[in-house]
Amino acid sequence: MTSDHPEAIALPATPEPTEKQQQQQQPTSPLLSQPLSWTHKAARTFSSPTIYPPALPFECGGSREFSSYLLYALIAGVPYMLKRMFGFSLGTYLVVAGLLALPIGGLSLLVHSWIVSPPTEQICALPNEPIETYMTILDKELKAKYHGYNKIPMDDFFERYFDGDIDLNGDALKVFERRYDWAIFPITVRVAKFFVLQWIPELLWHSKKQDETQVRDHYDRGDDFYAAFLGERMIYTSALVGDASKRETLEEMQDNKMRDVCERVGMRPGDRHLDIGCGWGTLVAYSAKNYGTDSVGITLGRNQTAFGNTRAAEWGVGDSARLLCMDYRDIPRRPRYHRITCLEMAEHVGVRKFQEFLLQVRDMLEDDGLFYLQIAGLRGAWQYEDFSWGLFMAKYVFPGADASCPLNWVVGQLETAGFEVRTTETIGIHYSVTIGRWYENWLRNKDVIVKAYGKRWFRIWEIFLAWSIIIARQGSSTCYQILAHKNRNAFDRSALIRPPFGYDKRSNGSA
């Protein structure tokens, strides 16, 4: 976003650090005894014109710097100290240790997030510019706290930016590409409070009423709000880059994705197709129109249901493509479906309900049917920025989407539910490009959004989109395409054989 101040400061190129700056960048954390040595490697230029390349690919502290052994020692040692002080029995000690394990773990992460230093292996040095280079702080008390080289905690920044106490000096994406020069990512009291009082209760509950309220508050905000960044296709899931050598449009990439999904599951004329969490129903109408399926989409959004049924009628498939407004738990289980798709809705099912959801999908799927799951996930080797972004998303963008987990967890859940995973693919870089196109659309429609919804809503989505371009590109969060079927002895696995990569390029007579 452009600042309201005409004297916006141009963002500098990333220079080689001076000797003084290298000294300032030495770690202060007691966890690192060796000095921080910059490698001064140049980041490799991204060759594709469709990608949003990094300006400052800096690594944040996280799981690699966090000692699990120290955590285990604290979980065992603190209750043992209490046992010695108060004379607990062994049984009482074990109960106390169990009760204190989560608080001790949470407090350990909180403290570590404030004292951790960045990894010593970096391919770039920070520009070490004052915070005023990147933003104008309008609130006097806030400015007195954060000025010069005092970095601001990320959650303090976006809360005050949404409130209008901060303006950015330039485009939000460019500012966020250099976020490590002006921000830190600790777990603040505000973040901890949100996690304990809102995120955990939502994770544990996930009632029909809770899910309905969250979905309708989010997706029934107004179709014009979403059209301002989703564009003509009205698809709120990752698209797919088809040709990385050119800059494809958002519409071309979404068409790539819909065609890819239909081909992956082998849609055929007459197939009964169920799309769970169908959004505005574009995939439902597309599959019916282009593959001759009898497609049903399920959503809790009233606006989405009306939009999708109207679109299906306009595309001439109103009789074979229809949207139903209902909770996924209420979907009729018979007749079964030949193809079931679920694109980035399963995250909202929640961790606690996930196995129950997969068992329901299995029951609704024909024995020779295929299940396509596209789901957003997080990396296991986390960094503290990942936590900051994830809880920001839970608070402002996707409340209740707590089943965004590493791939091994999702695959384990599928196998436990009786599925065999046929293929998996990670498409985080595709998601980065998709969100980049959304971000461009959002900026183009700034005046319309501000007039209809106010500056605060514009700024929330501006930060969500700008930050998420980077998050998806660097692997903090990603997206998985998973094709699965029932793990039955009689399933015809030969029907899913595909040629190996390079099979068509083999030389005659080669081994």
Side-chain angles (χ1 to χ4, degrees), residues 81-228:
M81 291 171 55
L82 296 175
K83 178 180 182 297
R84 293 292 300 270
M85 291 172 60
F86 300 104
F88 292 162
S89 66
L90 178 61
T92 303
Y93 163 77
L94 294 175
V95 171
V96 171
L99 293 174
L100 292 182
L102 186 59
I104 290 173
L107 187 60
S108 299
L109 282 172
L110 189 152
V111 172
H112 187 254
S113 71
W114 281 96
I115 65 175
V116 66
S117 292
T120 55
E121 289 293 328
Q122 301 285 352
I123 67 168
C124 59
L126 298 178
N128 199 32
E129 292 288 332
I131 196 171
E132 290 82 4
T133 302
Y134 303 101
M135 64 191 68
T136 300
I137 299 178
L138 306 176
D139 182 83
K140 292 182 179 180
E141 291 185 7
L142 190 66
K143 187 173 184 179
K145 190 175 182 181
Y146 302 114
H147 60 275
Y149 298 96
N150 297 330
K151 296 183 179 181
I152 184 171
M154 181 56 82
D155 75 293
D156 279 353
F157 161 75
F158 61 68
E159 294 290 352
R160 301 304 288 268
Y161 181 62
F162 299 158
D163 291 342
D165 294 330
I166 297 175
D167 284 339
L168 295 181
N169 295 339
D171 177 79
L173 178 57
K174 291 181 179 179
V175 172
F176 262 72
E177 288 285 5
R178 292 168 170 82
R179 64 205 176 283
Y180 283 99
D181 206 34
W182 54 265
I184 55 177
F185 300 89
I187 300 173
T188 64
V189 173
R190 182 193 294 113
V191 170
K193 183 179 178 181
F194 168 78
F195 181 78
V196 172
L197 299 182
Q198 184 170 333
W199 192 86
I200 290 180
E202 289 179 349
L203 178 147
L204 295 175
W205 195 243
H206 268 293
S207 66
K208 287 185 179 181
K209 184 61 178 177
Q210 173 191 313
D211 292 349
E212 177 183 307
T213 299
Q214 288 178 334
V215 167
R216 288 180 178 165
D217 179 65
H218 186 72
Y219 293 106
D220 285 345
R221 184 173 301 136
D223 287 345
D224 59 334
F225 183 92
Y226 291 95

Side-chain angles (χ1 to χ4, degrees), residues 238-266:
S238 177
L240 292 178
V241 175
D243 185 351
S245 67
K246 68 177 185 179
R247 182 180 170 84
E248 293 175 301
T249 66
L250 176 61
E251 287 69 33
E252 288 174 327
M253 293 192 301
Q254 290 293 9
D255 289 347
N256 293 341
K257 189 269 300 295
M258 290 190 289
R259 183 170 54 251
D260 180 86
V261 171
C262 293
E263 293 291 334
R264 277 179 188 266
V265 300

Side-chain angles (χ1 to χ4, degrees), residues 386-401:
D386 305 355
F387 287 168
S388 182
W389 176 84
L391 292 174
F392 159 76
M393 295 289 287
K395 183 175 183 179
Y396 285 108
V397 182
F398 294 125

Side-chain angles (χ1 to χ4, degrees), residues 267-325:
M267 286 189 180
R268 300 164 299 189
D271 277 351
R272 289 187 300 277
H273 165 223
L274 173 65
D275 190 26
I276 306 174
C278 64
W280 287 268
T282 308
L283 176 62
V284 172
Y286 179 92
S287 57
K289 179 179 180 180
N290 293 281
Y291 290 85
T293 58
D294 181 24
S295 295
V296 177
I298 302 299
T299 176
L300 277 171
R302 295 190 183 99
N303 290 355
Q304 292 178 330
T305 303
F307 181 98
N309 284 325
T310 299
R311 166 163 283 182
E314 291 173 348
W315 286 12
V317 289
D319 293 336
S320 56
R322 55 206 174 277
L323 271 64
L324 303 177
C325 187

Side-chain angles (χ1 to χ4, degrees), residues 394-412:
K395 183 175 183 179
Y396 285 108
V397 182
F398 294 125
D402 56 79
S404 296
C405 297
L407 179 60
N408 65 328
W409 183 87
V410 181
V411 170

